Amino acid sequence: MNENNIILPEPTLRRLPWYLAYLEILKGKNVENVSSTQISRALSVDASQIAKDLSFLNIKGKTRIGYEVKALIEALSDFLGFTRTHKAYVIGAGSLGKALIRDSGLSNYGLEIVAGFDVNENVISRTDLGVPLYHIDHIYDVMEENPASIAILTVPAESAQESADIAIGAGIRAIWNFTPYRVKVAEGVVMANTSIYAHLALIFNRLEALKG
Amino acid sequence: MNENNIILPEPTLRRLPWYLAYLEILKGKNVENVSSTQISRALSVDASQIAKDLSFLNIKGKTRIGYEVKALIEALSDFLGFTRTHKAYVIGAGSLGKALIRDSGLSNYGLEIVAGFDVNENVISRTDLGVPLYHIDHIYDVMEENPASIAILTVPAESAQESADIAIGAGIRAIWNFTPYRVKVAEGVVMANTSIYAHLALIFNRLEALKG
């Protein structure tokens, strides 16, 4: 897995899952080989860009034949880390937090949610989520028993920074921020923002503009 | 609401919800006024950028005092469309689709999920989600009874394009794509991608690189 130690550009990391999704579709249709030109037409990404993105992987396409679909799927899944298990905590078991805990689909991509944390005793006492819930005060103990490297942040915006700080203090190395608050982390801590409210704002604005 | 008919730049639409989240925190602390310099320090966004972003709104800050927190929250929520109801369908009631249907938090931001669609009869017969589920073949009928403008796409990647085409054919004006497939839509249809798999790939890659 050492080839993974290189820091890939964000746009490449955005496109590689597109290629993977398209390749899975081809595999479902029993297609054996694919050229970057074909991928290019299907996804409206420049063919030279695709060749460049795929050059990060230890896999080469063959002239006239292209890439072997199955081999490229394996190489991509592995390269993207989807075949290895990464343990995560959900911090904030409100409606979105509970929804993500229940979304078993994430485990197909290498994310295993092993615990949830909250401050509300009524929430913590729930046992129907398939994952144990704890008070955030117990994160140090849980980290010893069942360590995780990723914290999925689904707390209210006003608790986002404090919750991130606590999680990082307990040993978390990456924050996946679903709150609309712009959490700050020290260098060396991984930060990814999934800005669903920004995407909602984008959709609403563009819909209004269409009404023009 | 006519000021909303202008197409805002995407970076502005990404930042405005940050400001809103921060202002809500200030409101919770009974802070009455805030300057763009203050927002700038809290969120690490250039103060002149903030003033520029907020200039899209019909609200002016006062010299030395800044913006009135409550008034700015109202103006921002309204401007972003979070105070109006936008009806949506979830297409694909798998684990993520069900999770989004259950995430009542989205309704606080103006998104009302009024129906879910799937092709699996076992899924469709579920009645515990609080929202009716239908076979995708019935989308035209549902559109007549309870129309929606937004389709939240949570189908498997191989069905993403077809599902989007069906939804658009039935009258949907905006696709919120949660699949890793790069769906294509005609001009005039709004498209927003929430690339959770790309964000996972980013987190995994950066974590590996840290181990370096």
mmCIF file of all heavy atoms in Angstrom, chain A residues 15-65:
data_model
loop_
_atom_site.group_PDB
_atom_site.id
_atom_site.type_symbol
_atom_site.label_atom_id
_atom_site.label_comp_id
_atom_site.label_asym_id
_atom_site.label_seq_id
_atom_site.Cartn_x
_atom_site.Cartn_y
_atom_site.Cartn_z
ATOM 1 N N ARG A 15 -12.044 12.815 -9.229
ATOM 2 C CA ARG A 15 -12.360 12.095 -10.468
ATOM 3 C C ARG A 15 -12.203 10.590 -10.356
ATOM 4 O O ARG A 15 -12.967 9.844 -10.973
ATOM 5 C CB ARG A 15 -11.468 12.622 -11.613
ATOM 6 C CG ARG A 15 -11.876 14.003 -12.116
ATOM 7 C CD ARG A 15 -11.042 14.420 -13.315
ATOM 8 N NE ARG A 15 -9.619 14.529 -12.982
ATOM 9 C CZ ARG A 15 -8.999 15.674 -12.704
ATOM 10 N NH1 ARG A 15 -9.660 16.807 -12.738
ATOM 11 N NH2 ARG A 15 -7.721 15.685 -12.398
ATOM 12 N N LEU A 16 -11.231 10.107 -9.584
ATOM 13 C CA LEU A 16 -10.985 8.657 -9.513
ATOM 14 C C LEU A 16 -12.248 7.875 -9.125
ATOM 15 O O LEU A 16 -12.531 6.841 -9.740
ATOM 16 C CB LEU A 16 -9.817 8.347 -8.566
ATOM 17 C CG LEU A 16 -8.415 8.777 -9.052
ATOM 18 C CD1 LEU A 16 -7.337 8.462 -8.003
ATOM 19 C CD2 LEU A 16 -8.051 8.123 -10.385
ATOM 20 N N PRO A 17 -13.054 8.326 -8.140
ATOM 21 C CA PRO A 17 -14.296 7.587 -7.847
ATOM 22 C C PRO A 17 -15.297 7.598 -9.006
ATOM 23 O O PRO A 17 -16.081 6.674 -9.154
ATOM 24 C CB PRO A 17 -14.863 8.311 -6.615
ATOM 25 C CG PRO A 17 -13.679 8.961 -5.970
ATOM 26 C CD PRO A 17 -12.809 9.369 -7.126
ATOM 27 N N TRP A 18 -15.264 8.642 -9.859
ATOM 28 C CA TRP A 18 -16.128 8.641 -11.050
ATOM 29 C C TRP A 18 -15.726 7.491 -11.960
ATOM 30 O O TRP A 18 -16.590 6.776 -12.499
ATOM 31 C CB TRP A 18 -15.971 9.923 -11.871
ATOM 32 C CG TRP A 18 -16.387 11.189 -11.231
ATOM 33 C CD1 TRP A 18 -17.137 11.342 -10.098
ATOM 34 C CD2 TRP A 18 -16.095 12.514 -11.701
ATOM 35 N NE1 TRP A 18 -17.318 12.664 -9.836
ATOM 36 C CE2 TRP A 18 -16.687 13.410 -10.794
ATOM 37 C CE3 TRP A 18 -15.372 13.015 -12.791
ATOM 38 C CZ2 TRP A 18 -16.587 14.793 -10.945
ATOM 39 C CZ3 TRP A 18 -15.281 14.384 -12.941
ATOM 40 C CH2 TRP A 18 -15.886 15.264 -12.028
ATOM 41 N N TYR A 19 -14.396 7.365 -12.194
ATOM 42 C CA TYR A 19 -13.911 6.302 -13.079
ATOM 43 C C TYR A 19 -14.325 4.948 -12.497
ATOM 44 O O TYR A 19 -14.802 4.080 -13.228
ATOM 45 C CB TYR A 19 -12.384 6.338 -13.218
ATOM 46 C CG TYR A 19 -11.805 7.676 -13.624
ATOM 47 C CD1 TYR A 19 -10.487 8.003 -13.331
ATOM 48 C CD2 TYR A 19 -12.578 8.614 -14.305
ATOM 49 C CE1 TYR A 19 -9.941 9.220 -13.715
ATOM 50 C CE2 TYR A 19 -12.036 9.842 -14.684
ATOM 51 C CZ TYR A 19 -10.717 10.148 -14.376
ATOM 52 O OH TYR A 19 -10.186 11.351 -14.739
ATOM 53 N N LEU A 20 -14.136 4.805 -11.185
ATOM 54 C CA LEU A 20 -14.455 3.533 -10.528
ATOM 55 C C LEU A 20 -15.938 3.184 -10.725
ATOM 56 O O LEU A 20 -16.282 2.052 -11.068
ATOM 57 C CB LEU A 20 -14.099 3.618 -9.039
ATOM 58 C CG LEU A 20 -14.350 2.371 -8.201
ATOM 59 C CD1 LEU A 20 -13.574 1.168 -8.733
ATOM 60 C CD2 LEU A 20 -13.973 2.619 -6.734
ATOM 61 N N ALA A 21 -16.804 4.174 -10.521
ATOM 62 C CA ALA A 21 -18.250 3.929 -10.672
ATOM 63 C C ALA A 21 -18.568 3.514 -12.103
ATOM 64 O O ALA A 21 -19.349 2.584 -12.347
ATOM 65 C CB ALA A 21 -19.046 5.178 -10.288
ATOM 66 N N TYR A 22 -17.941 4.187 -13.060
ATOM 67 C CA TYR A 22 -18.198 3.853 -14.476
ATOM 68 C C TYR A 22 -17.683 2.453 -14.808
ATOM 69 O O TYR A 22 -18.347 1.682 -15.510
ATOM 70 C CB TYR A 22 -17.545 4.907 -15.378
ATOM 71 C CG TYR A 22 -17.658 4.602 -16.846
ATOM 72 C CD1 TYR A 22 -18.896 4.492 -17.462
ATOM 73 C CD2 TYR A 22 -16.512 4.409 -17.626
ATOM 74 C CE1 TYR A 22 -19.007 4.202 -18.812
ATOM 75 C CE2 TYR A 22 -16.610 4.121 -18.977
ATOM 76 C CZ TYR A 22 -17.855 4.018 -19.565
ATOM 77 O OH TYR A 22 -17.959 3.731 -20.908
ATOM 78 N N LEU A 23 -16.497 2.115 -14.283
ATOM 79 C CA LEU A 23 -15.917 0.786 -14.531
ATOM 80 C C LEU A 23 -16.796 -0.318 -13.950
ATOM 81 O O LEU A 23 -16.953 -1.379 -14.542
ATOM 82 C CB LEU A 23 -14.515 0.713 -13.922
ATOM 83 C CG LEU A 23 -13.458 1.556 -14.648
ATOM 84 C CD1 LEU A 23 -12.242 1.783 -13.758
ATOM 85 C CD2 LEU A 23 -13.035 0.868 -15.947
ATOM 86 N N GLU A 24 -17.375 -0.055 -12.769
ATOM 87 C CA GLU A 24 -18.274 -1.051 -12.157
ATOM 88 C C GLU A 24 -19.473 -1.297 -13.066
ATOM 89 O O GLU A 24 -19.970 -2.421 -13.174
ATOM 90 C CB GLU A 24 -18.756 -0.564 -10.779
ATOM 91 C CG GLU A 24 -17.664 -0.416 -9.725
ATOM 92 C CD GLU A 24 -17.344 -1.729 -9.009
ATOM 93 O OE1 GLU A 24 -17.806 -2.792 -9.462
ATOM 94 O OE2 GLU A 24 -16.605 -1.661 -7.997
ATOM 95 N N ILE A 25 -19.960 -0.234 -13.712
ATOM 96 C CA ILE A 25 -21.073 -0.384 -14.643
ATOM 97 C C ILE A 25 -20.655 -1.253 -15.826
ATOM 98 O O ILE A 25 -21.367 -2.182 -16.213
ATOM 99 C CB ILE A 25 -21.568 1.002 -15.123
ATOM 100 C CG1 ILE A 25 -22.163 1.771 -13.940
ATOM 101 C CG2 ILE A 25 -22.581 0.859 -16.256
ATOM 102 C CD1 ILE A 25 -22.520 3.207 -14.242
ATOM 103 N N LEU A 26 -19.471 -0.979 -16.374
ATOM 104 C CA LEU A 26 -18.968 -1.780 -17.499
ATOM 105 C C LEU A 26 -18.820 -3.238 -17.089
ATOM 106 O O LEU A 26 -19.183 -4.150 -17.832
ATOM 107 C CB LEU A 26 -17.609 -1.237 -17.968
ATOM 108 C CG LEU A 26 -17.594 0.140 -18.621
ATOM 109 C CD1 LEU A 26 -16.186 0.487 -19.074
ATOM 110 C CD2 LEU A 26 -18.558 0.199 -19.807
ATOM 111 N N LYS A 27 -18.286 -3.457 -15.878
ATOM 112 C CA LYS A 27 -18.098 -4.823 -15.388
ATOM 113 C C LYS A 27 -19.454 -5.548 -15.329
ATOM 114 O O LYS A 27 -19.566 -6.703 -15.716
ATOM 115 C CB LYS A 27 -17.455 -4.779 -13.995
ATOM 116 C CG LYS A 27 -17.058 -6.144 -13.454
ATOM 117 C CD LYS A 27 -16.510 -6.000 -12.031
ATOM 118 C CE LYS A 27 -16.623 -7.284 -11.239
ATOM 119 N NZ LYS A 27 -16.527 -7.032 -9.785
ATOM 120 N N GLY A 28 -20.475 -4.819 -14.855
ATOM 121 C CA GLY A 28 -21.816 -5.394 -14.789
ATOM 122 C C GLY A 28 -22.341 -5.797 -16.165
ATOM 123 O O GLY A 28 -23.185 -6.678 -16.293
ATOM 124 N N LYS A 29 -21.810 -5.123 -17.199
ATOM 125 C CA LYS A 29 -22.206 -5.454 -18.577
ATOM 126 C C LYS A 29 -21.222 -6.416 -19.230
ATOM 127 O O LYS A 29 -21.236 -6.594 -20.454
ATOM 128 C CB LYS A 29 -22.280 -4.165 -19.410
ATOM 129 C CG LYS A 29 -23.425 -3.241 -19.034
ATOM 130 C CD LYS A 29 -23.404 -1.973 -19.877
ATOM 131 C CE LYS A 29 -24.523 -1.021 -19.485
ATOM 132 N NZ LYS A 29 -24.250 0.352 -19.932
ATOM 133 N N ASN A 30 -20.317 -6.984 -18.409
ATOM 134 C CA ASN A 30 -19.313 -7.940 -18.890
ATOM 135 C C ASN A 30 -18.350 -7.361 -19.922
ATOM 136 O O ASN A 30 -17.814 -8.097 -20.755
ATOM 137 C CB ASN A 30 -19.978 -9.198 -19.442
ATOM 138 C CG ASN A 30 -20.708 -9.963 -18.359
ATOM 139 O OD1 ASN A 30 -20.162 -10.136 -17.260
ATOM 140 N ND2 ASN A 30 -21.930 -10.375 -18.628
ATOM 141 N N VAL A 31 -18.136 -6.071 -19.873
ATOM 142 C CA VAL A 31 -17.127 -5.460 -20.750
ATOM 143 C C VAL A 31 -15.751 -5.767 -20.160
ATOM 144 O O VAL A 31 -15.541 -5.609 -18.956
ATOM 145 C CB VAL A 31 -17.347 -3.930 -20.847
ATOM 146 C CG1 VAL A 31 -16.239 -3.278 -21.662
ATOM 147 C CG2 VAL A 31 -18.720 -3.628 -21.438
ATOM 148 N N GLU A 32 -14.808 -6.193 -21.002
ATOM 149 C CA GLU A 32 -13.511 -6.635 -20.472
ATOM 150 C C GLU A 32 -12.416 -5.578 -20.523
ATOM 151 O O GLU A 32 -11.544 -5.530 -19.671
ATOM 152 C CB GLU A 32 -13.051 -7.903 -21.200
ATOM 153 C CG GLU A 32 -13.834 -9.134 -20.749
ATOM 154 C CD GLU A 32 -13.373 -10.409 -21.406
ATOM 155 O OE1 GLU A 32 -12.311 -10.405 -22.066
ATOM 156 O OE2 GLU A 32 -14.090 -11.421 -21.259
ATOM 157 N N ASN A 33 -12.475 -4.743 -21.565
ATOM 158 C CA ASN A 33 -11.432 -3.725 -21.711
ATOM 159 C C ASN A 33 -12.047 -2.363 -21.989
ATOM 160 O O ASN A 33 -13.121 -2.266 -22.569
ATOM 161 C CB ASN A 33 -10.495 -4.092 -22.864
ATOM 162 C CG ASN A 33 -9.716 -5.360 -22.567
ATOM 163 O OD1 ASN A 33 -8.837 -5.388 -21.722
ATOM 164 N ND2 ASN A 33 -10.082 -6.423 -23.267
ATOM 165 N N VAL A 34 -11.330 -1.334 -21.587
ATOM 166 C CA VAL A 34 -11.838 0.022 -21.806
ATOM 167 C C VAL A 34 -10.657 0.947 -22.082
ATOM 168 O O VAL A 34 -9.590 0.809 -21.476
ATOM 169 C CB VAL A 34 -12.664 0.513 -20.586
ATOM 170 C CG1 VAL A 34 -11.793 0.657 -19.348
ATOM 171 C CG2 VAL A 34 -13.390 1.814 -20.885
ATOM 172 N N SER A 35 -10.867 1.860 -23.018
ATOM 173 C CA SER A 35 -9.813 2.836 -23.307
ATOM 174 C C SER A 35 -10.113 4.144 -22.575
ATOM 175 O O SER A 35 -11.247 4.387 -22.167
ATOM 176 C CB SER A 35 -9.764 3.105 -24.816
ATOM 177 O OG SER A 35 -10.978 3.724 -25.219
ATOM 178 N N SER A 36 -9.090 4.976 -22.418
ATOM 179 C CA SER A 36 -9.332 6.260 -21.758
ATOM 180 C C SER A 36 -10.253 7.122 -22.628
ATOM 181 O O SER A 36 -11.006 7.952 -22.114
ATOM 182 C CB SER A 36 -8.026 6.974 -21.418
ATOM 183 O OG SER A 36 -7.107 6.872 -22.455
ATOM 184 N N THR A 37 -10.228 6.906 -23.945
ATOM 185 C CA THR A 37 -11.138 7.647 -24.834
ATOM 186 C C THR A 37 -12.596 7.311 -24.520
ATOM 187 O O THR A 37 -13.454 8.195 -24.488
ATOM 188 C CB THR A 37 -10.867 7.284 -26.317
ATOM 189 O OG1 THR A 37 -9.462 7.140 -26.507
ATOM 190 C CG2 THR A 37 -11.422 8.332 -27.240
ATOM 191 N N GLN A 38 -12.834 6.001 -24.275
ATOM 192 C CA GLN A 38 -14.199 5.568 -23.927
ATOM 193 C C GLN A 38 -14.655 6.200 -22.606
ATOM 194 O O GLN A 38 -15.764 6.717 -22.511
ATOM 195 C CB GLN A 38 -14.184 4.051 -23.727
ATOM 196 C CG GLN A 38 -15.024 3.256 -24.691
ATOM 197 C CD GLN A 38 -14.831 1.769 -24.414
ATOM 198 O OE1 GLN A 38 -13.698 1.267 -24.492
ATOM 199 N NE2 GLN A 38 -15.901 1.091 -24.066
ATOM 200 N N ILE A 39 -13.786 6.112 -21.595
ATOM 201 C CA ILE A 39 -14.109 6.718 -20.297
ATOM 202 C C ILE A 39 -14.365 8.203 -20.497
ATOM 203 O O ILE A 39 -15.296 8.777 -19.934
ATOM 204 C CB ILE A 39 -12.968 6.512 -19.270
ATOM 205 C CG1 ILE A 39 -12.606 5.024 -19.148
ATOM 206 C CG2 ILE A 39 -13.341 7.087 -17.911
ATOM 207 C CD1 ILE A 39 -11.456 4.733 -18.177
ATOM 208 N N SER A 40 -13.529 8.814 -21.326
ATOM 209 C CA SER A 40 -13.626 10.247 -21.597
ATOM 210 C C SER A 40 -15.000 10.619 -22.151
ATOM 211 O O SER A 40 -15.637 11.572 -21.693
ATOM 212 C CB SER A 40 -12.527 10.653 -22.584
ATOM 213 O OG SER A 40 -12.777 11.933 -23.101
ATOM 214 N N ARG A 41 -15.467 9.842 -23.139
ATOM 215 C CA ARG A 41 -16.769 10.134 -23.741
ATOM 216 C C ARG A 41 -17.900 9.965 -22.725
ATOM 217 O O ARG A 41 -18.826 10.773 -22.671
ATOM 218 C CB ARG A 41 -17.021 9.202 -24.936
ATOM 219 C CG ARG A 41 -16.601 9.821 -26.271
ATOM 220 C CD ARG A 41 -17.210 9.043 -27.433
ATOM 221 N NE ARG A 41 -16.773 7.650 -27.421
ATOM 222 C CZ ARG A 41 -15.807 7.155 -28.202
ATOM 223 N NH1 ARG A 41 -15.202 7.927 -29.067
ATOM 224 N NH2 ARG A 41 -15.471 5.887 -28.116
ATOM 225 N N ALA A 42 -17.801 8.899 -21.905
ATOM 226 C CA ALA A 42 -18.882 8.608 -20.964
ATOM 227 C C ALA A 42 -18.974 9.669 -19.864
ATOM 228 O O ALA A 42 -20.059 9.991 -19.396
ATOM 229 C CB ALA A 42 -18.680 7.229 -20.342
ATOM 230 N N LEU A 43 -17.829 10.186 -19.437
ATOM 231 C CA LEU A 43 -17.836 11.056 -18.255
ATOM 232 C C LEU A 43 -17.531 12.518 -18.567
ATOM 233 O O LEU A 43 -17.470 13.344 -17.657
ATOM 234 C CB LEU A 43 -16.825 10.535 -17.226
ATOM 235 C CG LEU A 43 -17.009 9.076 -16.773
ATOM 236 C CD1 LEU A 43 -15.932 8.700 -15.771
ATOM 237 C CD2 LEU A 43 -18.389 8.886 -16.145
ATOM 238 N N SER A 44 -17.325 12.833 -19.861
ATOM 239 C CA SER A 44 -16.970 14.201 -20.244
ATOM 240 C C SER A 44 -15.751 14.711 -19.485
ATOM 241 O O SER A 44 -15.737 15.830 -18.973
ATOM 242 C CB SER A 44 -18.150 15.161 -20.025
ATOM 243 O OG SER A 44 -19.311 14.704 -20.655
ATOM 244 N N VAL A 45 -14.753 13.848 -19.380
ATOM 245 C CA VAL A 45 -13.461 14.270 -18.834
ATOM 246 C C VAL A 45 -12.441 14.080 -19.951
ATOM 247 O O VAL A 45 -12.502 13.086 -20.681
ATOM 248 C CB VAL A 45 -13.056 13.413 -17.608
ATOM 249 C CG1 VAL A 45 -11.664 13.804 -17.117
ATOM 250 C CG2 VAL A 45 -14.078 13.549 -16.495
ATOM 251 N N ASP A 46 -11.537 15.031 -20.100
ATOM 252 C CA ASP A 46 -10.504 14.964 -21.113
ATOM 253 C C ASP A 46 -9.713 13.648 -21.027
ATOM 254 O O ASP A 46 -9.287 13.248 -19.946
ATOM 255 C CB ASP A 46 -9.568 16.158 -20.897
ATOM 256 C CG ASP A 46 -8.770 16.469 -22.130
ATOM 257 O OD1 ASP A 46 -9.392 16.739 -23.171
ATOM 258 O OD2 ASP A 46 -7.527 16.404 -22.045
ATOM 259 N N ALA A 47 -9.517 12.964 -22.181
ATOM 260 C CA ALA A 47 -8.835 11.658 -22.178
ATOM 261 C C ALA A 47 -7.419 11.762 -21.627
ATOM 262 O O ALA A 47 -6.949 10.863 -20.912
ATOM 263 C CB ALA A 47 -8.826 11.066 -23.584
ATOM 264 N N SER A 48 -6.721 12.855 -21.931
ATOM 265 C CA SER A 48 -5.347 12.983 -21.435
ATOM 266 C C SER A 48 -5.347 13.166 -19.917
ATOM 267 O O SER A 48 -4.455 12.704 -19.214
ATOM 268 C CB SER A 48 -4.649 14.167 -22.106
ATOM 269 O OG SER A 48 -5.310 15.367 -21.775
ATOM 270 N N GLN A 49 -6.404 13.834 -19.414
ATOM 271 C CA GLN A 49 -6.561 14.000 -17.970
ATOM 272 C C GLN A 49 -6.752 12.631 -17.296
ATOM 273 O O GLN A 49 -6.186 12.350 -16.242
ATOM 274 C CB GLN A 49 -7.766 14.903 -17.676
ATOM 275 C CG GLN A 49 -8.004 15.190 -16.205
ATOM 276 C CD GLN A 49 -6.869 16.004 -15.602
ATOM 277 O OE1 GLN A 49 -6.669 17.148 -15.981
ATOM 278 N NE2 GLN A 49 -6.095 15.408 -14.715
ATOM 279 N N ILE A 50 -7.551 11.785 -17.939
ATOM 280 C CA ILE A 50 -7.811 10.445 -17.398
ATOM 281 C C ILE A 50 -6.522 9.641 -17.345
ATOM 282 O O ILE A 50 -6.194 9.028 -16.320
ATOM 283 C CB ILE A 50 -8.877 9.721 -18.254
ATOM 284 C CG1 ILE A 50 -10.220 10.433 -18.098
ATOM 285 C CG2 ILE A 50 -8.995 8.253 -17.852
ATOM 286 C CD1 ILE A 50 -11.288 9.975 -19.067
ATOM 287 N N ALA A 51 -5.761 9.670 -18.454
ATOM 288 C CA ALA A 51 -4.490 8.940 -18.490
ATOM 289 C C ALA A 51 -3.560 9.450 -17.392
ATOM 290 O O ALA A 51 -2.882 8.675 -16.715
ATOM 291 C CB ALA A 51 -3.842 9.103 -19.860
ATOM 292 N N LYS A 52 -3.576 10.764 -17.190
ATOM 293 C CA LYS A 52 -2.715 11.363 -16.158
ATOM 294 C C LYS A 52 -3.167 10.926 -14.765
ATOM 295 O O LYS A 52 -2.352 10.529 -13.929
ATOM 296 C CB LYS A 52 -2.810 12.891 -16.279
ATOM 297 C CG LYS A 52 -1.627 13.638 -15.687
ATOM 298 C CD LYS A 52 -1.744 15.132 -15.981
ATOM 299 C CE LYS A 52 -1.018 15.950 -14.941
ATOM 300 N NZ LYS A 52 -1.345 17.387 -15.024
ATOM 301 N N ASP A 53 -4.490 10.975 -14.520
ATOM 302 C CA ASP A 53 -5.011 10.563 -13.207
ATOM 303 C C ASP A 53 -4.654 9.099 -12.927
ATOM 304 O O ASP A 53 -4.253 8.749 -11.817
ATOM 305 C CB ASP A 53 -6.539 10.709 -13.156
ATOM 306 C CG ASP A 53 -6.982 12.171 -13.084
ATOM 307 O OD1 ASP A 53 -6.159 13.033 -12.714
ATOM 308 O OD2 ASP A 53 -8.154 12.439 -13.410
ATOM 309 N N LEU A 54 -4.811 8.256 -13.974
ATOM 310 C CA LEU A 54 -4.577 6.821 -13.774
ATOM 311 C C LEU A 54 -3.090 6.487 -13.685
ATOM 312 O O LEU A 54 -2.721 5.410 -13.213
ATOM 313 C CB LEU A 54 -5.242 6.013 -14.890
ATOM 314 C CG LEU A 54 -6.780 6.054 -14.904
ATOM 315 C CD1 LEU A 54 -7.332 5.242 -16.064
ATOM 316 C CD2 LEU A 54 -7.362 5.539 -13.578
ATOM 317 N N SER A 55 -2.238 7.438 -14.117
ATOM 318 C CA SER A 55 -0.797 7.182 -14.060
ATOM 319 C C SER A 55 -0.296 7.135 -12.613
ATOM 320 O O SER A 55 0.783 6.633 -12.335
ATOM 321 C CB SER A 55 -0.034 8.258 -14.836
ATOM 322 O OG SER A 55 -0.065 9.478 -14.116
ATOM 323 N N PHE A 56 -1.108 7.643 -11.661
ATOM 324 C CA PHE A 56 -0.732 7.543 -10.240
ATOM 325 C C PHE A 56 -0.783 6.091 -9.775
ATOM 326 O O PHE A 56 -0.147 5.711 -8.809
ATOM 327 C CB PHE A 56 -1.665 8.387 -9.359
ATOM 328 C CG PHE A 56 -1.428 9.866 -9.449
ATOM 329 C CD1 PHE A 56 -2.309 10.681 -10.149
ATOM 330 C CD2 PHE A 56 -0.324 10.449 -8.837
ATOM 331 C CE1 PHE A 56 -2.100 12.050 -10.227
ATOM 332 C CE2 PHE A 56 -0.108 11.818 -8.917
ATOM 333 C CZ PHE A 56 -0.995 12.614 -9.620
ATOM 334 N N LEU A 57 -1.591 5.282 -10.469
ATOM 335 C CA LEU A 57 -1.725 3.868 -10.102
ATOM 336 C C LEU A 57 -0.637 3.052 -10.779
ATOM 337 O O LEU A 57 -0.118 3.439 -11.819
ATOM 338 C CB LEU A 57 -3.086 3.322 -10.577
ATOM 339 C CG LEU A 57 -4.312 3.641 -9.737
ATOM 340 C CD1 LEU A 57 -4.714 5.089 -9.906
ATOM 341 C CD2 LEU A 57 -5.472 2.736 -10.162
ATOM 342 N N ASN A 58 -0.326 1.907 -10.194
ATOM 343 C CA ASN A 58 0.652 1.007 -10.795
ATOM 344 C C ASN A 58 -0.003 0.115 -11.839
ATOM 345 O O ASN A 58 0.062 -1.102 -11.768
ATOM 346 C CB ASN A 58 1.285 0.133 -9.712
ATOM 347 C CG ASN A 58 2.586 0.736 -9.234
ATOM 348 O OD1 ASN A 58 3.254 1.449 -9.985
ATOM 349 N ND2 ASN A 58 2.935 0.468 -7.991
ATOM 350 N N ILE A 59 -0.644 0.724 -12.809
ATOM 351 C CA ILE A 59 -1.324 -0.074 -13.822
ATOM 352 C C ILE A 59 -1.187 0.645 -15.153
ATOM 353 O O ILE A 59 -1.262 1.873 -15.208
ATOM 354 C CB ILE A 59 -2.808 -0.319 -13.431
ATOM 355 C CG1 ILE A 59 -3.413 -1.434 -14.264
ATOM 356 C CG2 ILE A 59 -3.633 0.953 -13.537
ATOM 357 C CD1 ILE A 59 -4.707 -1.976 -13.667
ATOM 358 N N LYS A 60 -0.952 -0.128 -16.182
ATOM 359 C CA LYS A 60 -0.748 0.496 -17.488
ATOM 360 C C LYS A 60 -1.799 -0.010 -18.466
ATOM 361 O O LYS A 60 -2.135 -1.182 -18.466
ATOM 362 C CB LYS A 60 0.639 0.134 -18.040
ATOM 363 C CG LYS A 60 1.788 0.801 -17.288
ATOM 364 C CD LYS A 60 2.130 2.174 -17.847
ATOM 365 C CE LYS A 60 3.062 2.959 -16.916
ATOM 366 N NZ LYS A 60 2.455 3.362 -15.630
ATOM 367 N N GLY A 61 -2.305 0.903 -19.293
ATOM 368 C CA GLY A 61 -3.191 0.495 -20.368
ATOM 369 C C GLY A 61 -2.362 -0.040 -21.523
ATOM 370 O O GLY A 61 -1.176 0.277 -21.653
ATOM 371 N N LYS A 62 -2.963 -0.882 -22.370
ATOM 372 C CA LYS A 62 -2.249 -1.406 -23.546
ATOM 373 C C LYS A 62 -2.723 -0.679 -24.790
ATOM 374 O O LYS A 62 -3.913 -0.378 -24.929
ATOM 375 C CB LYS A 62 -2.512 -2.906 -23.696
ATOM 376 C CG LYS A 62 -1.738 -3.744 -22.708
ATOM 377 C CD LYS A 62 -2.098 -5.209 -22.865
ATOM 378 C CE LYS A 62 -1.677 -5.978 -21.615
ATOM 379 N NZ LYS A 62 -2.461 -7.188 -21.430
ATOM 380 N N THR A 63 -1.805 -0.435 -25.705
ATOM 381 C CA THR A 63 -2.142 0.242 -26.949
ATOM 382 C C THR A 63 -3.260 -0.519 -27.675
ATOM 383 O O THR A 63 -3.222 -1.733 -27.755
ATOM 384 C CB THR A 63 -0.906 0.312 -27.875
ATOM 385 O OG1 THR A 63 0.239 0.532 -27.058
ATOM 386 C CG2 THR A 63 -1.036 1.445 -28.874
ATOM 387 N N ARG A 64 -4.229 0.198 -28.166
ATOM 388 C CA ARG A 64 -5.382 -0.342 -28.923
ATOM 389 C C ARG A 64 -6.383 -1.112 -28.037
ATOM 390 O O ARG A 64 -7.550 -1.201 -28.391
ATOM 391 C CB ARG A 64 -4.947 -1.281 -30.062
ATOM 392 C CG ARG A 64 -4.332 -0.526 -31.230
ATOM 393 C CD ARG A 64 -3.728 -1.504 -32.235
ATOM 394 N NE ARG A 64 -3.065 -0.739 -33.297
ATOM 395 C CZ ARG A 64 -3.697 -0.220 -34.345
ATOM 396 N NH1 ARG A 64 -4.990 -0.415 -34.474
ATOM 397 N NH2 ARG A 64 -3.066 0.494 -35.229
ATOM 398 N N ILE A 65 -5.930 -1.682 -26.927
ATOM 399 C CA ILE A 65 -6.844 -2.470 -26.082
ATOM 400 C C ILE A 65 -7.351 -1.630 -24.905
ATOM 401 O O ILE A 65 -8.521 -1.685 -24.542
ATOM 402 C CB ILE A 65 -6.136 -3.742 -25.544
ATOM 403 C CG1 ILE A 65 -5.701 -4.615 -26.715
ATOM 404 C CG2 ILE A 65 -7.053 -4.514 -24.601
ATOM 405 C CD1 ILE A 65 -4.871 -5.797 -26.343
#
